[in-house]
Amino acid sequence: MPRNLSGGERSFSTVALLLAMWDVATSPVRCLDEWDVFLDSVNRGIAAKLLIEGALASDQKQFILITPQDMSGIKIGPEIKVNRLSDPERGQ
C-alpha cells in the first residue's frame, strides 16, 4: 500500500512510474518539480541518474527538473544545461 511507504520510497516510486509512463506519452515537454525532496543523497543520485538516462534516450523531448536540493554530485554531460538560482536573501 502506498500509505505504508516512507516519503523517500514514495518519491522514488513516483520517479519510476513517471519514467515508465513517459515511454508511451507523446508530450514534447516533461517537467518534475521538487521530485527529490524526500530522498536521501544516495537515492537522489540513483533517481537523477535514471531521469538523465531517460531524458537522453528520449528523442526530441525536453526535460525540466526543478529541485531545491544540491545536485553537485550529479554528472552532467554536454546535452544537459543546469540553471542554478542564487539562494534567497532572508529578511528583506
Side-chain angles (χ1 to χ4, degrees), residues 3-81:
R3 65 182 155 210
N4 294 337
L5 299 176
S6 70
E9 290 167 332
R10 280 193 299 261
S11 293
F12 199 89
S13 298
T14 301
V15 168
L17 175 65
L18 285 172
L19 283 169
M21 290 175 51
W22 283 344
D23 277 346
V24 296
T26 58
S27 173
V29 178
R30 297 165 179 186
C31 186
L32 283 179
D33 183 20
E34 296 189 9
W35 55 274
D36 62 341
V37 292
F38 297 112
L39 293 172
D40 60 22
S41 62
V42 172
N43 287 318
R44 183 178 305 114
I46 294 168
K49 182 177 180 270
L50 291 172
L51 285 167
I52 290 169
E53 288 172 355
L56 294 174
S58 298
D59 189 33
Q60 301 296 318
K61 304 226 177 3
Q62 181 177 9
F63 282 68
I64 301 170
L65 306 175
I66 302 168
T67 179
Q69 304 293 333
D70 177 25
M71 300 306 285
S72 61
I74 305 302
K75 292 184 180 179
I76 297 171
E79 308 88 1
I80 300 168
K81 181 177 181 180

